[in-house]
C-alpha cells in the first residue's frame, strides 16, 4: 500500500482526510470527534530504521497493543515506532503490497484504541 492508496482507503473507511500540521509531506490521520491521532504517515531516512538503502521511505505509525507490537517488530517491514511511544506505537514500512491487509487491520485496531470511550466496543 502506498501513501496515496492509504489515504484513499482511510477516506472511504473512516471519512478521514490527511492533515499536514508541519507543512511538509508528513501527515496525521485523526478522529473527527476527539481529534486523537490514529495514524501518522512519515518520511523517514531508511538508515534510521536500520535499512541498508540510503533513501527516504514512507512509514505508517499506528497505535498497537504492546504484546502484538512486540511480536510484529521482529518481522520484515515492522519497526519500533519512529518518533512515537515505542511501547504503544509501531511503524510499518509502506509500499509492500503483501502487507496491505495487515496495514488495514492494524489501522482498524489503532482507530479503535484511540476512539472516544463512548465509541469503543
Amino acid at each position: 500500500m502506498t501513501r496515496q492508496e492509504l489515504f484513499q482507503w482511510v477516506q472511504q473507511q473512516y471519512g478521514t482526510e490527511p492533515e499536514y500540521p508541519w507543512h511538509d509531506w508528513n501527515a496525521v490521520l485523526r478522529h473527527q470527534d476527539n481529534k486523537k491521532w490514529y495514524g501518522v504517515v512519515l518520511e523517514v531516512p531508511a538508515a534510521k530504521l536500520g535499512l541498508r538503502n540510503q533513501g527516504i521511505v514512507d512509514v505508517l505509525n499506528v497505535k498497537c497493543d504492546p504484546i502484538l507490537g512486540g511480536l510484529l517488530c521482529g518481522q520484515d517491514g515492522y519497526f519500533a515506532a519512529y518518533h512515537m511511544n515505542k511501547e504503544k506505537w509501531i511503524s510499518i514500512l509502506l509500499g509492500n503490497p503483501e502487507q496491505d491487509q495487515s496495514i488495514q487491520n492494524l489501522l482498524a485496531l489503532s482507530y479503535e484504541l484511540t476512539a472516544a470511550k463512548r465509541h469503543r466496543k
Side-chain angles (χ1 to χ4, degrees):
M1 181 174 286
T2 66
R3 167 190 289 259
Q4 283 311 114
E5 291 168 338
L6 173 71
F7 293 157
Q8 290 172 355
W9 188 80
V10 298
Q11 207 295 316
Q12 293 171 349
Q13 194 72 18
Y14 304 113
T16 302
E17 291 291 334
E19 298 177 19
Y20 297 91
W22 304 289
H23 308 290
D24 56 16
W25 286 106
N26 298 315
V28 173
L29 304 174
R30 182 189 308 261
H31 286 272
Q32 294 303 311
D33 58 354
N34 66 8
K35 304 299 182 197
K36 287 186 178 181
W37 297 0
Y38 68 90
V40 183
V41 178
L42 300 167
E43 290 184 314
V44 178
K48 296 266 185 186
L49 300 172
L51 299 173
R52 290 193 179 133
N53 69 27
Q54 297 300 314
I56 302 292
V57 296
D58 285 332
V59 297
L60 167 66
N61 284 356
V62 292
K63 190 166 188 176
C64 188
D65 173 80
I67 294 171
L68 177 60
L71 293 171
L72 289 172
C73 284
Q75 298 180 29
D76 285 345
Y78 299 91
F79 307 91
Y82 184 77
H83 272 301
M84 301 287 279
N85 178 321
K86 293 178 182 355
E87 181 181 328
K88 297 182 180 179
W89 289 75
I90 62 171
S91 291
I92 309 164
L93 186 63
L94 294 178
N96 183 355
E98 291 80 31
Q99 291 178 309
D100 287 0
Q101 188 63 54
S102 177
I103 288 170
Q104 291 173 355
N105 292 340
L106 289 166
L107 260 173
L109 175 61
S110 186
Y111 191 86
E112 182 67 28
L113 289 172
T114 56
K117 293 193 187 313
R118 60 182 160 71
H119 290 132
R120 291 187 183 167
K121 295 178 182 176

